Amino acid sequence: MSYIKIKQWRDSEIEKQESSYDLNAFHDLIMKQVFETALNKVSEEAGPPPCHYAWFVMGSAGRFEQAIISDQDHGIVYEEENEESGRYFKKLGKELAFGLYEAGYPYCDGNVMSSNPVWCRSKVSWNDQLAKWLNEESFDSIRYLLIFYDARVLQGDEEYIFRLKKHIHDAIKEKPDLLERFLENTIHTKKAVGFFQQFLPETHGSHAGSIDIKQSGFLPYVNAVRLLAMKESVEAASTLSRIEALSQIPKYSHELQNYKSDFEKLLHYRFMYHKKMTEDYDDIHYLDVKELDKNERKEMKQILKDGQKLQDYTQSVIKGLMRR
């Protein structure tokens, strides 16, 4: 199937999805179809893959939390460290980024794509890169580690990613203060509910009157739960599955029990109010509070406040660990 055909299929079916889960399952289907097409194109020119590999997605795709429009975040890990494999998978990485773009997924502004050699590496090279990021502890290195931690394999051997994430888990056990660096990188989010329980919408620009649901809604949950997952070596990639896994640990079970339904509601609100296709990727990050009825406004305020509470709780857990 050509990329244009895939895009036509995507555009004709995407608004028929009935829930956030269905939408993300559909995105997975589209991306897998793009992968098959890209692999066929590269195989025609360069033969079959020279070794085992895994193609993984990150960001909202990795967490199974994509909106109706989603940009690209993906990478490749391959088995053999040699020139032939390097050439082959760099070619495949470039074809994948192009194919996804043609199928309706904008290029990643931060260049977190398989077409970038930073995100397309052999297993040995990935081990070295993670070790470098962990040792540097710079703002960018920490950001890249957080991005990588949301990796989920779409094609190939899942074990590659589990083994790479184990390096992060082992580093945190050996050097727990890494968690504080991760916390510093993620703690600053935009508040959308004021002291007097009023919404704090955007005041200027095309989204005036709307709240930034990505910065104020999703990120407090995503960042806080990811940090707890890193601390406890949880392998799951989605926020909901991480909450479920963490809730099995006695010290978190009571504290986290309400946040799962909060996050499910947040996904539902974004799905319901952004179900129609839009050409502007930024639009999906905003929610016009005037579109909500009285009960929905009350519920949304509670979800946003709970996100801040979860962030405060996670901060206290990490800071408490540092005081020991």
Side-chain angles (χ1 to χ4, degrees):
M1 191 185 295
S2 71
Y3 301 132
I4 299 301
K5 290 275 188 191
I6 294 172
K7 186 176 190 304
Q8 288 170 349
W9 173 47
R10 176 182 182 272
D11 292 348
S12 69
E13 297 296 319
I14 200 161
E15 290 181 12
K16 298 177 186 175
Q17 308 311 308
E18 296 184 351
S19 68
S20 179
Y21 181 91
D22 293 341
L23 175 63
N24 276 271
F26 184 64
H27 278 305
D28 274 10
L29 278 176
I30 296 289
M31 291 186 291
K32 286 178 180 179
Q33 188 64 62
V34 168
F35 180 87
E36 290 300 324
T37 302
L39 183 61
N40 287 339
K41 280 179 176 287
V42 172
S43 296
E44 283 173 12
E45 297 174 22
C51 61
H52 290 294
Y53 63 90
W55 181 54
F56 56 93
V57 289
M58 297 167 283
S60 59
R63 297 189 307 273
F64 207 70
E65 294 162 9
Q66 287 171 288
I68 198 159
I69 293 184
S70 180
D71 67 351
Q72 300 184 37
D73 291 280
H74 50 93
I76 295 174
V77 51
Y78 51 90
E79 180 70 35
E80 294 174 5
E81 171 75 45
N82 57 52
E83 200 174 315
E84 180 196 2
S85 295
R87 259 197 322 269
Y88 188 94
F89 288 104
K90 283 178 178 62
K91 187 179 182 69
L92 178 59
K94 286 179 180 176
E95 187 62 38
L96 280 167
F98 173 73
L100 286 167
Y101 177 78
E102 290 289 289
Y105 295 86
Y107 288 122
C108 172
D109 286 342
N111 204 18
V112 181
M113 299 179 289
S114 305
S115 52
N116 180 352
V118 173
W119 299 96
C120 180
R121 297 175 173 274
S122 70
K123 185 174 67 173
V124 169
S125 182
W126 264 116
N127 287 336
D128 291 344
Q129 181 63 76
L130 290 177
K132 185 180 176 187
W133 285 339
L134 286 160
N135 288 329
E136 282 179 352
E137 294 187 39
S138 67
F139 185 86
D140 281 343
S141 295
I142 294 295
R143 184 168 65 90
Y144 293 147
L145 286 165
L146 292 170
I147 290 169
F148 178 80
Y149 199 74
D150 289 344
R152 177 172 62 93
V153 171
L154 271 194
Q155 292 287 344
D157 191 344
E158 290 186 350
E159 198 58 35
Y160 284 118
I161 290 301
F162 291 146
R163 287 189 206 127
L164 289 173
K165 286 185 183 181
K166 188 176 184 300
H167 284 289
I168 300 174
H169 296 155
D170 291 346
I172 288 169
K173 284 172 187 164
E174 190 179 315
K175 202 175 170 187
D177 59 311
L178 272 168
L179 287 168
E180 196 161 28
R181 293 289 290 114
F182 292 137
L183 180 69
E184 287 167 12
N185 193 290
T186 58
I187 201 66
H188 303 293
T189 53
K190 190 189 295 184
K191 288 192 176 179
V193 179
F195 181 77
F196 297 107
Q197 308 306 306
Q198 80 280 23
F199 281 119
L200 300 173
E202 300 293 305
T203 55
H204 300 93
S206 60
H207 298 110
S210 297
I211 54 173
D212 186 336
I213 200 171
K214 178 182 179 181
Q215 291 291 330
S216 304
F218 280 93
L219 287 187
Y221 286 92
V222 168
N223 290 339
V225 172
R226 185 199 292 117
L227 275 178
L228 295 176
M230 295 175 100
K231 178 181 178 293
E232 303 300 338
S233 301
V234 170
E235 289 184 340
S238 81
T239 303
L240 289 174
S241 57
R242 284 170 175 168
I243 293 173
E244 284 181 16
L246 289 163
S247 296
Q248 302 306 307
I249 302 171
K251 61 185 171 184
Y252 299 117
S253 58
H254 175 71
E255 189 66 40
L256 295 182
Q257 61 185 353
N258 294 325
Y259 293 118
K260 183 169 181 278
S261 63
D262 276 337
F263 196 73
E264 285 172 334
K265 288 172 189 171
L266 196 55
L267 287 167
H268 175 72
Y269 273 109
R270 187 183 62 185
F271 175 77
M272 290 306 296
Y273 284 93
H274 297 97
K275 199 172 176 183
K276 295 293 181 189
M277 282 291 283
T278 172
E279 293 302 313
D280 190 344
Y281 174 54
D282 280 343
D283 286 350
I284 60 166
H285 300 319
Y286 292 88
L287 182 65
D288 187 344
V289 293
K290 294 190 294 295
E291 292 186 18
L292 304 176
D293 66 29
K294 184 180 177 182
N295 289 332
E296 288 172 336
R297 287 164 70 91
K298 183 180 178 183
E299 187 171 61
M300 179 55 68
K301 284 178 185 176
Q302 191 60 53
I303 291 168
L304 295 171
K305 288 192 293 182
D306 284 351
Q308 292 298 321
K309 274 173 55 184
L310 175 57
Q311 206 167 32
D312 292 343
Y313 168 72
T314 300
Q315 184 172 4
S316 71
V317 170
I318 305 300
K319 295 288 187 186
L321 186 67
M322 295 305 103
R323 286 195 291 269
R324 285 182 194 172

